[in-house]
Amino acid sequence: MKRKLIAGNWKMNGNAAANESLVRAVLAGMGDAACTVAVCVPAPYLAQVQALRAGTALELGAQDVSEHAQGAYTGEVSADMLREFGVRYVIVGHSERRQYHAESDAVVAEKVKAALAAGITPIVCVGETLAQREEGRTSAIVKRQMAAVIHTNGHCISEIAVAYEPVWAIGTGRTATPEQAQEVHAVLRAQLKAATEHADRVLILYGGSMNAANAVSLLAQPDIDGGLIGGASLKAPDFLQIIAAAR
Ligand code: 13P
């Protein structure tokens, strides 16, 4: 059995005091977790959380990375900079970045390349909007998003993680059913299989209103290898219940 990954995406939430109590509570409760656990924190808090997690099994993640290695890109953070803070995962192509920061499939693919070059595992987010689902275009949309990443990264694609995050399920309390999620995960797995013989080792996470109540049934699906958790990752008891469900 593959070890599952439960990653919290704090988004733009937290402050030094709240982060400390949240991380301490997660560390106190996660014990010898059966899955890999990570928190993807806002960039200014990487050093703080790096120190809090030192010597523990909690992994550190970031929420975005520049596609460029260095230079005149005001406000951007490079993969090498993330690496210096012990970052192991970086979320790339989250729908909020695609929507509010106009990140194209091509830019997302370049960001994946930059992360891989620094030895950081990109968690590549794909997902359809409600309108796209209702038009029956879900598979076509996620395949298009993934195809750009495969095209740019070739055989290195086996080193990524993927998160299927239906846009209509993010922060809405409306979760994809386990069957709906599994169907899309299977599409993505098949696409990865056509690109690499190591597709089975790529972790495909589900994200979108995942919580303590629905985690067990989602994580029971054959192609759901973990979760990318937004709101519920900000509350230690909820996050810990999801961690406990991932075995
Ligand atoms: P919620 O869990 O708050 O729906 O957010 C999901 C998400 O966007 C994780 O990246």
Side-chain angles (χ1 to χ4, degrees):
M1 266 281 279
K2 240 180 316 192
R3 193 175 167 86
K4 291 187 167 67
L5 168 62
I6 298 296
N9 175 7
W10 289 2
K11 308 194 179 185
M12 198 173 75
N13 292 292
N15 56 56
N19 300 346
E20 177 161 354
S21 51
L22 176 57
V23 171
R24 287 200 192 285
V26 169
L27 287 173
M30 71 185 239
D32 203 3
C35 61
T36 303
V37 182
V39 285
C40 300
V41 313
Y45 297 119
L46 287 170
Q48 183 199 16
V49 178
Q50 182 192 27
L52 287 166
R53 67 156 290 277
T56 77
L58 180 65
E59 299 287 352
L60 182 59
Q63 299 175 10
D64 186 29
V65 64
S66 174
E67 68 267 43
H68 305 290
Q70 61 180 44
Y73 301 103
T74 302
E76 295 288 280
V77 176
S78 75
D80 282 346
M81 293 173 188
L82 296 180
R83 187 74 238 169
E84 284 208 298
F85 289 88
V87 166
R88 177 165 169 204
Y89 298 99
V90 61
I91 298 169
V92 175
H94 192 282
S95 62
E96 288 149 17
R97 301 237 26 118
R98 293 180 189 261
Q99 189 180 348
Y100 307 137
H101 302 273
E103 281 189 16
S104 65
D105 293 340
V107 166
V108 171
E110 290 296 332
K111 290 185 170 196
V112 169
K113 192 172 176 181
L116 289 173
I120 296 172
T121 302
I123 302 176
V124 183
C125 299
V126 299
E128 81 289 2
T129 64
L130 187 57
Q132 289 164 338
R133 172 163 283 266
E134 286 171 346
E135 289 161 7
R137 294 167 59 212
T138 299
S139 291
I141 295 295
V142 300
K143 282 166 83 174
R144 188 206 72 210
Q145 293 169 331
M146 186 55 61
V149 176
I150 292 171
H151 175 76
T152 301
N153 291 277
H155 68 273
C156 296
I157 205 72
S158 60
E159 305 303 318
I160 71 168
V162 177
Y164 168 54
E165 297 209 317
V167 177
W168 48 271
I170 295 176
T172 58
R174 196 177 154 192
T175 321
T177 64
E179 294 73 25
Q180 282 175 323
Q182 166 59 28
E183 193 179 338
V184 179
H185 283 229
V187 166
L188 292 166
R189 184 83 64 199
Q191 189 178 11
L192 289 165
K193 277 198 172 134
T196 169
E197 58 187 292
H198 303 298
D200 280 329
R201 75 171 186 226
V202 175
L203 297 178
I204 308 181
L205 318 181
Y206 169 79
S209 297
M210 197 161 171
N211 58 38
N214 59 34
V216 172
S217 54
L218 283 162
L219 293 168
Q221 298 300 311
D223 286 299
I224 301 187
D225 306 316
L228 185 56
I229 323 296
S233 75
L234 298 171
K235 297 178 219 126
D238 296 36
F239 194 49
L240 287 168
Q241 281 192 58
I242 297 171
I243 292 166
R247 46 185 67 254

mmCIF file of all heavy atoms in Angstrom, residues 108-143:
data_model
loop_
_atom_site.group_PDB
_atom_site.id
_atom_site.type_symbol
_atom_site.label_atom_id
_atom_site.label_comp_id
_atom_site.label_asym_id
_atom_site.label_seq_id
_atom_site.Cartn_x
_atom_site.Cartn_y
_atom_site.Cartn_z
ATOM 1 N N VAL A 108 1.955 27.215 -15.108
ATOM 2 C CA VAL A 108 1.895 26.165 -14.088
ATOM 3 C C VAL A 108 2.930 25.077 -14.412
ATOM 4 O O VAL A 108 3.666 24.624 -13.536
ATOM 5 C CB VAL A 108 0.467 25.568 -14.006
ATOM 6 C CG1 VAL A 108 0.438 24.333 -13.101
ATOM 7 C CG2 VAL A 108 -0.512 26.633 -13.495
ATOM 8 N N ALA A 109 3.009 24.712 -15.684
ATOM 9 C CA ALA A 109 3.966 23.668 -16.096
ATOM 10 C C ALA A 109 5.404 24.101 -15.818
ATOM 11 O O ALA A 109 6.237 23.290 -15.383
ATOM 12 C CB ALA A 109 3.777 23.362 -17.578
ATOM 13 N N GLU A 110 5.704 25.388 -16.040
ATOM 14 C CA GLU A 110 7.064 25.899 -15.774
ATOM 15 C C GLU A 110 7.354 25.930 -14.278
ATOM 16 O O GLU A 110 8.489 25.703 -13.833
ATOM 17 C CB GLU A 110 7.233 27.300 -16.381
ATOM 18 C CG GLU A 110 7.271 27.323 -17.906
ATOM 19 C CD GLU A 110 8.466 26.576 -18.500
ATOM 20 O OE1 GLU A 110 9.516 26.489 -17.849
ATOM 21 O OE2 GLU A 110 8.317 26.051 -19.629
ATOM 22 N N LYS A 111 6.341 26.243 -13.488
ATOM 23 C CA LYS A 111 6.522 26.242 -12.027
ATOM 24 C C LYS A 111 6.823 24.827 -11.528
ATOM 25 O O LYS A 111 7.643 24.633 -10.629
ATOM 26 C CB LYS A 111 5.276 26.811 -11.343
ATOM 27 C CG LYS A 111 5.114 28.300 -11.569
ATOM 28 C CD LYS A 111 3.952 28.890 -10.787
ATOM 29 C CE LYS A 111 4.019 30.414 -10.888
ATOM 30 N NZ LYS A 111 3.198 31.094 -9.884
ATOM 31 N N VAL A 112 6.138 23.858 -12.106
ATOM 32 C CA VAL A 112 6.391 22.454 -11.749
ATOM 33 C C VAL A 112 7.856 22.122 -12.040
ATOM 34 O O VAL A 112 8.556 21.514 -11.215
ATOM 35 C CB VAL A 112 5.438 21.527 -12.541
ATOM 36 C CG1 VAL A 112 5.856 20.064 -12.406
ATOM 37 C CG2 VAL A 112 3.999 21.721 -12.075
ATOM 38 N N LYS A 113 8.320 22.557 -13.191
ATOM 39 C CA LYS A 113 9.703 22.292 -13.590
ATOM 40 C C LYS A 113 10.682 22.929 -12.605
ATOM 41 O O LYS A 113 11.680 22.310 -12.205
ATOM 42 C CB LYS A 113 9.917 22.865 -14.993
ATOM 43 C CG LYS A 113 11.185 22.458 -15.676
ATOM 44 C CD LYS A 113 11.148 22.943 -17.116
ATOM 45 C CE LYS A 113 12.448 22.636 -17.815
ATOM 46 N NZ LYS A 113 12.408 23.128 -19.193
ATOM 47 N N ALA A 114 10.392 24.164 -12.197
ATOM 48 C CA ALA A 114 11.272 24.866 -11.252
ATOM 49 C C ALA A 114 11.313 24.145 -9.909
ATOM 50 O O ALA A 114 12.380 23.992 -9.302
ATOM 51 C CB ALA A 114 10.790 26.309 -11.071
ATOM 52 N N ALA A 115 10.171 23.682 -9.448
ATOM 53 C CA ALA A 115 10.129 22.962 -8.165
ATOM 54 C C ALA A 115 10.927 21.670 -8.260
ATOM 55 O O ALA A 115 11.764 21.380 -7.387
ATOM 56 C CB ALA A 115 8.674 22.670 -7.776
ATOM 57 N N LEU A 116 10.698 20.905 -9.317
ATOM 58 C CA LEU A 116 11.399 19.623 -9.471
ATOM 59 C C LEU A 116 12.910 19.826 -9.541
ATOM 60 O O LEU A 116 13.675 19.043 -8.967
ATOM 61 C CB LEU A 116 10.903 18.900 -10.730
ATOM 62 C CG LEU A 116 9.479 18.329 -10.660
ATOM 63 C CD1 LEU A 116 9.052 17.803 -12.021
ATOM 64 C CD2 LEU A 116 9.373 17.229 -9.605
ATOM 65 N N ALA A 117 13.326 20.889 -10.208
ATOM 66 C CA ALA A 117 14.768 21.157 -10.333
ATOM 67 C C ALA A 117 15.407 21.413 -8.970
ATOM 68 O O ALA A 117 16.593 21.167 -8.776
ATOM 69 C CB ALA A 117 14.995 22.345 -11.272
ATOM 70 N N ALA A 118 14.605 21.912 -8.027
ATOM 71 C CA ALA A 118 15.123 22.194 -6.687
ATOM 72 C C ALA A 118 14.913 21.013 -5.738
ATOM 73 O O ALA A 118 15.215 21.112 -4.543
ATOM 74 C CB ALA A 118 14.442 23.442 -6.127
ATOM 75 N N GLY A 119 14.358 19.924 -6.256
ATOM 76 C CA GLY A 119 14.131 18.755 -5.405
ATOM 77 C C GLY A 119 12.910 18.884 -4.517
ATOM 78 O O GLY A 119 12.807 18.216 -3.488
ATOM 79 N N ILE A 120 11.985 19.751 -4.901
ATOM 80 C CA ILE A 120 10.745 19.941 -4.137
ATOM 81 C C ILE A 120 9.611 19.275 -4.915
ATOM 82 O O ILE A 120 9.530 19.405 -6.143
ATOM 83 C CB ILE A 120 10.449 21.443 -3.950
ATOM 84 C CG1 ILE A 120 11.559 22.083 -3.103
ATOM 85 C CG2 ILE A 120 9.082 21.659 -3.317
ATOM 86 C CD1 ILE A 120 11.456 23.601 -3.012
ATOM 87 N N THR A 121 8.753 18.561 -4.206
ATOM 88 C CA THR A 121 7.628 17.898 -4.872
ATOM 89 C C THR A 121 6.497 18.884 -5.113
ATOM 90 O O THR A 121 5.912 19.394 -4.156
ATOM 91 C CB THR A 121 7.096 16.733 -4.004
ATOM 92 O OG1 THR A 121 8.159 15.819 -3.760
ATOM 93 C CG2 THR A 121 5.937 16.021 -4.692
ATOM 94 N N PRO A 122 6.182 19.161 -6.377
ATOM 95 C CA PRO A 122 5.048 20.042 -6.635
ATOM 96 C C PRO A 122 3.738 19.278 -6.469
ATOM 97 O O PRO A 122 3.633 18.131 -6.901
ATOM 98 C CB PRO A 122 5.258 20.458 -8.102
ATOM 99 C CG PRO A 122 6.045 19.359 -8.706
ATOM 100 C CD PRO A 122 6.853 18.716 -7.617
ATOM 101 N N ILE A 123 2.781 19.909 -5.820
ATOM 102 C CA ILE A 123 1.421 19.354 -5.749
ATOM 103 C C ILE A 123 0.618 20.117 -6.790
ATOM 104 O O ILE A 123 0.233 21.271 -6.580
ATOM 105 C CB ILE A 123 0.814 19.514 -4.339
ATOM 106 C CG1 ILE A 123 1.685 18.830 -3.284
ATOM 107 C CG2 ILE A 123 -0.613 18.955 -4.315
ATOM 108 C CD1 ILE A 123 1.204 19.027 -1.830
ATOM 109 N N VAL A 124 0.437 19.498 -7.938
ATOM 110 C CA VAL A 124 -0.161 20.173 -9.089
ATOM 111 C C VAL A 124 -1.680 20.102 -9.002
ATOM 112 O O VAL A 124 -2.259 19.013 -8.989
ATOM 113 C CB VAL A 124 0.293 19.497 -10.398
ATOM 114 C CG1 VAL A 124 -0.275 20.241 -11.593
ATOM 115 C CG2 VAL A 124 1.806 19.422 -10.477
ATOM 116 N N CYS A 125 -2.311 21.268 -8.921
ATOM 117 C CA CYS A 125 -3.769 21.299 -8.769
ATOM 118 C C CYS A 125 -4.462 21.409 -10.120
ATOM 119 O O CYS A 125 -4.078 22.234 -10.963
ATOM 120 C CB CYS A 125 -4.191 22.486 -7.913
ATOM 121 S SG CYS A 125 -3.503 22.427 -6.249
ATOM 122 N N VAL A 126 -5.465 20.576 -10.297
ATOM 123 C CA VAL A 126 -6.318 20.644 -11.487
ATOM 124 C C VAL A 126 -7.769 20.557 -11.024
ATOM 125 O O VAL A 126 -8.045 20.056 -9.936
ATOM 126 C CB VAL A 126 -6.011 19.496 -12.480
ATOM 127 C CG1 VAL A 126 -4.569 19.566 -12.981
ATOM 128 C CG2 VAL A 126 -6.271 18.123 -11.847
ATOM 129 N N GLY A 127 -8.663 21.046 -11.849
ATOM 130 C CA GLY A 127 -10.074 20.927 -11.475
ATOM 131 C C GLY A 127 -10.951 21.808 -12.339
ATOM 132 O O GLY A 127 -10.486 22.818 -12.877
ATOM 133 N N GLU A 128 -12.207 21.406 -12.438
ATOM 134 C CA GLU A 128 -13.162 22.102 -13.292
ATOM 135 C C GLU A 128 -14.076 23.020 -12.488
ATOM 136 O O GLU A 128 -14.280 22.804 -11.298
ATOM 137 C CB GLU A 128 -14.008 21.073 -14.073
ATOM 138 C CG GLU A 128 -15.187 20.457 -13.313
ATOM 139 C CD GLU A 128 -14.791 19.491 -12.203
ATOM 140 O OE1 GLU A 128 -13.598 19.287 -11.962
ATOM 141 O OE2 GLU A 128 -15.729 18.941 -11.563
ATOM 142 N N THR A 129 -14.638 24.010 -13.157
ATOM 143 C CA THR A 129 -15.649 24.866 -12.515
ATOM 144 C C THR A 129 -16.999 24.159 -12.593
ATOM 145 O O THR A 129 -17.161 23.157 -13.305
ATOM 146 C CB THR A 129 -15.763 26.219 -13.236
ATOM 147 O OG1 THR A 129 -16.236 25.973 -14.566
ATOM 148 C CG2 THR A 129 -14.442 26.963 -13.273
ATOM 149 N N LEU A 130 -17.964 24.720 -11.898
ATOM 150 C CA LEU A 130 -19.307 24.128 -11.924
ATOM 151 C C LEU A 130 -19.876 24.156 -13.346
ATOM 152 O O LEU A 130 -20.441 23.165 -13.818
ATOM 153 C CB LEU A 130 -20.238 24.881 -10.963
ATOM 154 C CG LEU A 130 -21.620 24.271 -10.774
ATOM 155 C CD1 LEU A 130 -21.541 22.831 -10.286
ATOM 156 C CD2 LEU A 130 -22.451 25.109 -9.805
ATOM 157 N N ALA A 131 -19.681 25.279 -14.024
ATOM 158 C CA ALA A 131 -20.213 25.392 -15.393
ATOM 159 C C ALA A 131 -19.586 24.333 -16.292
ATOM 160 O O ALA A 131 -20.275 23.684 -17.096
ATOM 161 C CB ALA A 131 -19.948 26.794 -15.942
ATOM 162 N N GLN A 132 -18.284 24.139 -16.141
ATOM 163 C CA GLN A 132 -17.601 23.140 -16.975
ATOM 164 C C GLN A 132 -18.118 21.733 -16.674
ATOM 165 O O GLN A 132 -18.307 20.924 -17.586
ATOM 166 C CB GLN A 132 -16.086 23.230 -16.751
ATOM 167 C CG GLN A 132 -15.488 24.500 -17.358
ATOM 168 C CD GLN A 132 -14.097 24.824 -16.842
ATOM 169 O OE1 GLN A 132 -13.697 24.373 -15.756
ATOM 170 N NE2 GLN A 132 -13.353 25.599 -17.599
ATOM 171 N N ARG A 133 -18.370 21.441 -15.397
ATOM 172 C CA ARG A 133 -18.917 20.119 -15.050
ATOM 173 C C ARG A 133 -20.299 19.949 -15.666
ATOM 174 O O ARG A 133 -20.613 18.917 -16.248
ATOM 175 C CB ARG A 133 -18.974 19.947 -13.515
ATOM 176 C CG ARG A 133 -19.715 18.681 -13.075
ATOM 177 C CD ARG A 133 -19.425 18.286 -11.644
ATOM 178 N NE ARG A 133 -18.115 17.652 -11.492
ATOM 179 C CZ ARG A 133 -17.900 16.338 -11.516
ATOM 180 N NH1 ARG A 133 -18.893 15.499 -11.689
ATOM 181 N NH2 ARG A 133 -16.683 15.853 -11.366
ATOM 182 N N GLU A 134 -21.111 20.987 -15.535
ATOM 183 C CA GLU A 134 -22.484 20.870 -16.053
ATOM 184 C C GLU A 134 -22.508 20.736 -17.576
ATOM 185 O O GLU A 134 -23.439 20.176 -18.143
ATOM 186 C CB GLU A 134 -23.320 22.064 -15.578
ATOM 187 C CG GLU A 134 -23.672 21.920 -14.087
ATOM 188 C CD GLU A 134 -24.319 23.143 -13.470
ATOM 189 O OE1 GLU A 134 -24.281 24.226 -14.097
ATOM 190 O OE2 GLU A 134 -24.854 23.008 -12.353
ATOM 191 N N GLU A 135 -21.470 21.236 -18.207
ATOM 192 C CA GLU A 135 -21.376 21.078 -19.672
ATOM 193 C C GLU A 135 -20.746 19.737 -20.055
ATOM 194 O O GLU A 135 -20.506 19.485 -21.242
ATOM 195 C CB GLU A 135 -20.505 22.212 -20.255
ATOM 196 C CG GLU A 135 -21.174 23.582 -20.211
ATOM 197 C CD GLU A 135 -20.158 24.724 -20.348
ATOM 198 O OE1 GLU A 135 -18.973 24.458 -20.609
ATOM 199 O OE2 GLU A 135 -20.581 25.884 -20.158
ATOM 200 N N GLY A 136 -20.437 18.920 -19.056
ATOM 201 C CA GLY A 136 -19.853 17.600 -19.345
ATOM 202 C C GLY A 136 -18.396 17.662 -19.755
ATOM 203 O O GLY A 136 -17.895 16.748 -20.428
ATOM 204 N N ARG A 137 -17.705 18.736 -19.354
ATOM 205 C CA ARG A 137 -16.324 18.931 -19.811
ATOM 206 C C ARG A 137 -15.269 18.625 -18.750
ATOM 207 O O ARG A 137 -14.099 18.956 -18.925
ATOM 208 C CB ARG A 137 -16.150 20.372 -20.315
ATOM 209 C CG ARG A 137 -16.978 20.658 -21.572
ATOM 210 C CD ARG A 137 -17.027 22.156 -21.863
ATOM 211 N NE ARG A 137 -15.693 22.712 -22.047
ATOM 212 C CZ ARG A 137 -15.340 23.959 -21.725
ATOM 213 N NH1 ARG A 137 -16.215 24.780 -21.197
ATOM 214 N NH2 ARG A 137 -14.112 24.371 -21.935
ATOM 215 N N THR A 138 -15.673 17.999 -17.649
ATOM 216 C CA THR A 138 -14.733 17.779 -16.545
ATOM 217 C C THR A 138 -13.451 17.063 -16.994
ATOM 218 O O THR A 138 -12.342 17.550 -16.755
ATOM 219 C CB THR A 138 -15.410 16.979 -15.410
ATOM 220 O OG1 THR A 138 -16.514 17.753 -14.925
ATOM 221 C CG2 THR A 138 -14.454 16.692 -14.279
ATOM 222 N N SER A 139 -13.601 15.929 -17.663
ATOM 223 C CA SER A 139 -12.414 15.162 -18.075
ATOM 224 C C SER A 139 -11.544 15.978 -19.016
ATOM 225 O O SER A 139 -10.311 15.998 -18.874
ATOM 226 C CB SER A 139 -12.817 13.869 -18.783
ATOM 227 O OG SER A 139 -13.401 13.001 -17.866
ATOM 228 N N ALA A 140 -12.179 16.649 -19.948
ATOM 229 C CA ALA A 140 -11.412 17.419 -20.936
ATOM 230 C C ALA A 140 -10.612 18.520 -20.252
ATOM 231 O O ALA A 140 -9.449 18.762 -20.607
ATOM 232 C CB ALA A 140 -12.354 18.017 -21.982
ATOM 233 N N ILE A 141 -11.207 19.178 -19.264
ATOM 234 C CA ILE A 141 -10.520 20.277 -18.578
ATOM 235 C C ILE A 141 -9.315 19.762 -17.785
ATOM 236 O O ILE A 141 -8.199 20.279 -17.914
ATOM 237 C CB ILE A 141 -11.499 21.027 -17.636
ATOM 238 C CG1 ILE A 141 -12.614 21.710 -18.441
ATOM 239 C CG2 ILE A 141 -10.752 22.017 -16.738
ATOM 240 C CD1 ILE A 141 -12.163 22.823 -19.355
ATOM 241 N N VAL A 142 -9.525 18.748 -16.961
ATOM 242 C CA VAL A 142 -8.400 18.286 -16.139
ATOM 243 C C VAL A 142 -7.305 17.666 -17.012
ATOM 244 O O VAL A 142 -6.114 17.817 -16.710
ATOM 245 C CB VAL A 142 -8.833 17.321 -14.998
ATOM 246 C CG1 VAL A 142 -9.811 17.994 -14.055
ATOM 247 C CG2 VAL A 142 -9.389 16.013 -15.516
ATOM 248 N N LYS A 143 -7.705 17.024 -18.106
ATOM 249 C CA LYS A 143 -6.691 16.446 -18.999
ATOM 250 C C LYS A 143 -5.876 17.537 -19.702
ATOM 251 O O LYS A 143 -4.665 17.399 -19.887
ATOM 252 C CB LYS A 143 -7.350 15.517 -20.031
ATOM 253 C CG LYS A 143 -7.695 14.162 -19.427
ATOM 254 C CD LYS A 143 -8.628 13.368 -20.286
ATOM 255 C CE LYS A 143 -7.932 12.609 -21.380
ATOM 256 N NZ LYS A 143 -8.900 11.730 -22.089
#
